[in-house]
Amino acid sequence: MHTIIMVEFILYCLLMLGAGYLFSRKEMDHASFLLGGKKLPGWALAFSERATGESAWLLLGYTGFVFATGLSGIWVAVGISLGIVFSWLFLAKRFMKEAEEYQIMTLPGYLAKRFGSHGKIILWMSAILIISFMMFYFGAQIAGAGKTLFTVFHIHPTAGALLSLAIVILLSYLGGFTAVVWTDMIQSLMMLVTLVVLPIIALFHIQEAGLSISAALAASGPAMDSWTGGAAGFALGLLLFNNFAWFFGFLGGQPQLSARFMALKNDKEAKTATRVAIIWTILAYGGAFMIGLTALTLYQGQNFADVETILPFMVLDLLPPWIAGILLSGILAAIISTADSQLLVITSSVSEDIVNHALGKNLTEKQLVTISRLTIIGAGLLGLLIALTSQSLVYLVVSWAWAGVGCTLSPAIILTFFWKRYSGAGVIATILAGFISTIVWISTPLEEIISSRFTTFLIAAFFGIVFSLLFPSKESARDIKESPEADISPKVIG
């Protein structure tokens, strides 16, 4: 059985590398390497955005969470799904148009160009914020890949991490953003197949065995069959709010996701992408929720050392080897699709935001692409070092990443898009307040009371508003666009 699964896994790896090689044969300028040159179809970008947004956390973490908590686990899916839908309906087109108008390729680049007189400090602060958090987040994905390969194939975690890193680096190095998007599209489909097919098969087995999901939930504990987890009053409010708080990280502040919005080429493609992303989200989260419930029904009374292994356990238990290999590859697909996008975000922050703009180096397109590729290798090796030597720190910092990056930059984006009085001083205050409050909040017992996913967003937005009122911009948006100080468009020669 393991031989068949291993063969399918090897074929999957070769398919990914083949796609990377295919795109590496095309000559690319820096804009194409980092953002695809606005030539990619909307549906492919939507699949890529969803694969990037959902790492193995969805397939392993969320399914295990539902298995352990029962019906109340639905509220995490509700918060995340609403955040995804909101971002596609109300932010995607705005990102696309702003990227075209300001001629930018990164989220920090947009904020810097939009608030020109404060552009350099905004570039440095936002780039450092993204690189620091994303570096550890990337390391966690590599560590997770090693653990997954060990669980499924009994490959040593270090060897598994090295293999996964090699695939991620080669994909990103060879074909840049375009290769990442197309391979993400394949991986997104694999994830969706896993999340849709497995619960259907599990429901068939439940019916054949004469089991009942409701009876299994009731037998598992008094809170398991309750949509509120048995909580009431203030405790119920906190349960619902903390789970719903994932919503705030989707409001434009995740650079690896907003890059897909910037890469959209027109309104028609944006509409197509929006439909694809929303349908994918409903199917994927509905499937993941059902996997948790059906697993609880099929394996009630069994003890699992790690509930996050419930999905691969179900796949191996319920399916023939050739199908199991395809679905299990979907787990690795989830990890790789997130890791390669995180690596590219780190790369764009270094080559585009820092080298090309903050430092103002006049480099050719070829030199900028070379710097990007060298950054991919360097950041990849640093991520491997983090994964192998600081695993406990990795997983601690991952819990910061959603708040530290997404919930810090989301209020900056929302205020920039929808409040005309937002100023450059407000952006700086937003970033500083979000960074500091995330570290303080998660390092104290306050995190157990109310999630930093909300408090970071609230605190960052509050300071952004206050400092914008205290230190308003002296220039209009039109002045900013025309100001030489604000010019952070690509400076190339040759």
Side-chain angles (χ1 to χ4, degrees), residues 8-24 51 163-176 178-191 326 329-330 332-338 340:
E8 292 186 344
F9 169 68
I10 292 172
L11 290 175
Y12 159 74
C13 293
L14 291 175
L15 175 65
M16 294 299 100
L17 294 176
Y21 174 73
L22 176 66
F23 290 106
S24 72
L163 176 61
S164 303
L165 179 69
I167 296 172
V168 170
I169 286 180
L170 284 171
L171 282 177
S172 304
Y173 182 95
L174 293 173
T178 302
V180 167
V181 166
W182 284 114
T183 53
D184 278 358
M185 188 272 294
I186 297 171
Q187 290 164 161
S188 185
L189 287 172
M190 292 175 65
M191 292 166 62
I326 296 173
S329 293
L332 190 67
I335 296 171
I336 289 177
S337 61
T338 300
D340 58 19

Side-chain angles (χ1 to χ4, degrees), residues 150-418:
F150 175 74
T151 301
V152 177
F153 302 114
H154 304 298
I155 297 174
H156 191 278
T158 301
L162 283 167
L163 176 61
S164 303
L165 179 69
I167 296 172
V168 170
I169 286 180
L170 284 171
L171 282 177
S172 304
Y173 182 95
L174 293 173
F177 185 83
T178 302
V180 167
V181 166
W182 284 114
T183 53
D184 278 358
M185 188 272 294
I186 297 171
Q187 290 164 161
S188 185
L189 287 172
M190 292 175 65
M191 292 166 62
L192 196 60
V193 168
T194 300
L195 291 167
V196 171
V197 170
L198 185 57
I200 293 173
I201 293 172
L203 287 170
F204 175 78
H205 280 272
I206 287 172
Q207 184 179 20
E208 286 288 299
L211 300 173
S212 165
I213 293 178
S214 58
L217 286 166
S220 298
M224 298 291 282
D225 61 348
S226 168
W227 292 102
T228 62
F234 183 70
L236 173 59
L238 283 179
L239 168 73
L240 298 179
F241 187 81
N242 283 336
N243 286 335
F244 178 80
W246 286 96
F247 172 86
F248 297 101
F250 282 99
L251 304 184
Q254 296 287 354
Q256 71 275 27
L257 306 184
S258 59
R260 272 71 185 162
F261 300 153
M262 293 180 188
L264 292 164
K265 55 185 175 181
N266 55 47
D267 285 350
K268 181 181 178 182
E269 294 293 340
K271 288 179 181 178
T272 300
T274 299
R275 295 191 193 101
V276 170
I278 291 174
I279 292 171
W280 192 100
T281 300
I282 293 170
L283 291 175
Y285 273 93
F289 181 69
M290 287 306 301
I291 287 172
L293 295 185
T294 53
L296 189 146
T297 305
L298 289 170
Y299 309 117
Q300 53 186 302
Q302 293 190 35
N303 291 320
F304 290 88
D306 184 355
V307 294
E308 292 187 353
T309 62
I310 194 67
L311 188 148
F313 180 87
M314 283 180 71
V315 169
L316 293 171
D317 183 48
L318 302 180
L319 299 171
W322 68 274
I323 297 179
I326 296 173
L327 299 191
L328 288 173
S329 293
I331 300 174
L332 190 67
I335 296 171
I336 289 177
S337 61
T338 300
D340 58 19
S341 296
Q342 289 169 340
L343 188 56
L344 212 56
V345 163
I346 295 167
T347 298
S348 65
S349 289
V350 173
S351 65
E352 176 69 6
D353 297 327
I354 294 178
V355 175
N356 198 29
H357 294 318
L359 296 178
K361 300 294 184 182
N362 290 320
L363 302 175
T364 65
E365 294 287 326
K366 187 174 181 179
Q367 287 172 326
L368 287 169
V369 172
T370 299
I371 290 173
S372 294
R373 285 176 164 157
L374 291 174
T375 303
I376 285 170
I377 295 173
L381 293 175
L382 180 57
L384 177 66
L385 182 64
I386 292 171
L388 297 181
T389 62
S390 306
Q391 188 167 334
S392 61
L393 180 61
V394 169
Y395 286 101
L396 175 63
V397 175
V398 164
S399 68
W400 298 2
W402 197 258
V405 176
C407 296
T408 294
L409 295 179
S410 284
I413 291 298
I414 293 296
L415 290 170
T416 301
F417 281 179
F418 302 111

